[in-house]
Amino acid sequence: MTNMTEEEADALDEYFTTHLPKVDPTKGGVTTRHGFRMIALDCLSEDYLLTMTLATKKSPTEFISEMVRERIALNP
């Protein structure tokens, strides 16, 4: 991929500045299932999650889901 010229960058900036996305908060998007879920992690958990997702080539969601299923299987 080649780098953008200043003119191309300015054109993209102008386009996205003047063409704001239309958002309907009553509808779910591709990343929502039962509404938005936010989680907060401490630094150790965040570092572990990042390291493991890079090592396993999985998304954080996939990795967390797998961990939860393993934990459930251990404690029926």
Side-chain angles (χ1 to χ4, degrees):
M1 178 185 236
T2 61
N3 291 333
M4 285 191 285
T5 64
E6 285 295 321
E7 293 80 22
E8 291 170 327
D10 289 340
L12 278 175
D13 179 55
E14 178 67 26
Y15 176 81
F16 286 113
T17 300
T18 58
H19 294 85
L20 298 176
K22 293 179 175 59
V23 179
D24 185 356
T26 63
K27 296 181 181 178
V30 295
T31 59
T32 62
R33 186 169 27 177
H34 298 291
F36 180 72
R37 296 181 186 173
M38 177 186 267
I39 59 169
L41 299 175
D42 58 79
C43 289
L44 177 64
S45 300
E46 183 181 347
D47 290 344
Y48 178 77
L49 181 60
L50 178 61
T51 302
M52 293 307 293
T53 56
L54 291 172
T56 60
K57 295 184 173 48
K58 294 180 182 176
S59 72
T61 302
E62 291 171 323
F63 186 75
I64 292 170
S65 295
E66 188 176 287
M67 281 181 32
V68 169
R69 283 176 174 64
E70 288 173 1
R71 183 73 180 251
I72 291 171
L74 291 174
N75 299 309

